[in-house]
Amino acid sequence: MSEPPTGGTPAPNARRELTLTVDVRAPAPVVWAYVTDWETQGEWIPATRVRRTGGDGRSVGSTLDAFTGVGPVGFRDTMEITEWSEPAPGSDGPWRCVVLHTGKVVRGDGVFEVVELGPERSRFVWTELLDLPLGAVGRFGWPLVRPGFAAGVQLALRKMARLCERRYTAPR
């Protein structure tokens, strides 16, 4: 069984994509600010703590460290921001952040996008382009793991939308 090459292209047929979306009753800049507030992601991503380890967390080259688990049992997900774009005022392009997962367990690219649907509505799109570990075993196991992984991410997205909407509509 071969692991994907470090820093290079994954082994053939090892990359899998998962894309999930949620609509949010809040303006796109509000949603963008919330989903890219790395230190508060634990509010909506179960059993996960994220911290910025380098840079400002809002530009290419910034680094992040996430731990998903309970107590000492879990895994670390280190990331580097490889793309960061925010639309110019008046344009309708998406807000977009791409991270390269550089850890031992999670490898590949993660993409956050926020698309404006109207003045008070937006869509958050989360894509993971995962380089599966364990060669043929990982490729065989993905169809078994994918439904549970997708369900967990979708629950997190619905929670994020509720929390973001609450913050947006809270009295200031």
Side-chain angles (χ1 to χ4, degrees):
M1 293 181 254
S2 65
E3 295 284 331
T6 304
T9 308
N13 302 315
R15 183 162 273 205
R16 296 295 185 265
E17 179 179 338
L18 177 70
T19 299
L20 296 163
T21 66
V22 66
D23 289 355
V24 186
R25 291 182 313 268
V30 170
V31 176
W32 179 247
Y34 187 61
V35 298
T36 59
D37 181 355
W38 308 113
E39 283 79 10
T40 64
Q41 282 188 354
E43 294 176 359
W44 54 277
I45 301 175
T48 298
R49 294 181 308 275
V50 182
R51 65 186 178 90
R52 187 172 35 88
T53 54
D56 60 6
R58 303 189 73 71
S59 60
V60 171
S62 294
T63 55
L64 308 166
D65 181 75
F67 180 81
T68 299
V70 178
V73 179
F75 65 91
R76 188 158 304 290
D77 180 10
T78 54
M79 296 163 268
E80 179 178 347
I81 296 175
T82 58
E83 182 182 331
W84 184 276
S85 60
E86 297 180 5
S91 76
D92 62 352
W95 284 256
R96 180 178 166 90
C97 175
V98 179
V99 299
L100 175 64
H101 295 283
T102 59
K104 293 180 180 173
V105 176
V106 182
R107 307 281 297 179
D109 297 293
V111 183
F112 279 8
E113 288 185 326
V114 177
V115 179
E116 187 173 346
L117 299 177
E120 303 275 323
R121 290 184 53 242
S122 55
R123 177 169 293 139
F124 176 53
V125 182
W126 184 350
T127 300
E128 289 292 339
L129 301 162
L130 300 170
D131 297 336
L132 300 178
L134 306 176
V137 173
R139 289 189 301 278
F140 175 80
W142 176 245
L144 303 173
V145 171
R146 186 189 187 284
F149 180 64
V153 172
Q154 196 65 60
L155 280 171
L157 293 182
R158 286 196 292 269
K159 184 173 184 179
M160 180 281 300
R162 284 192 312 271
L163 291 171
C164 188
E165 289 166 357
R166 247 186 246 148
R167 284 182 176 204
Y168 175 64
T169 60
R172 296 184 188 2

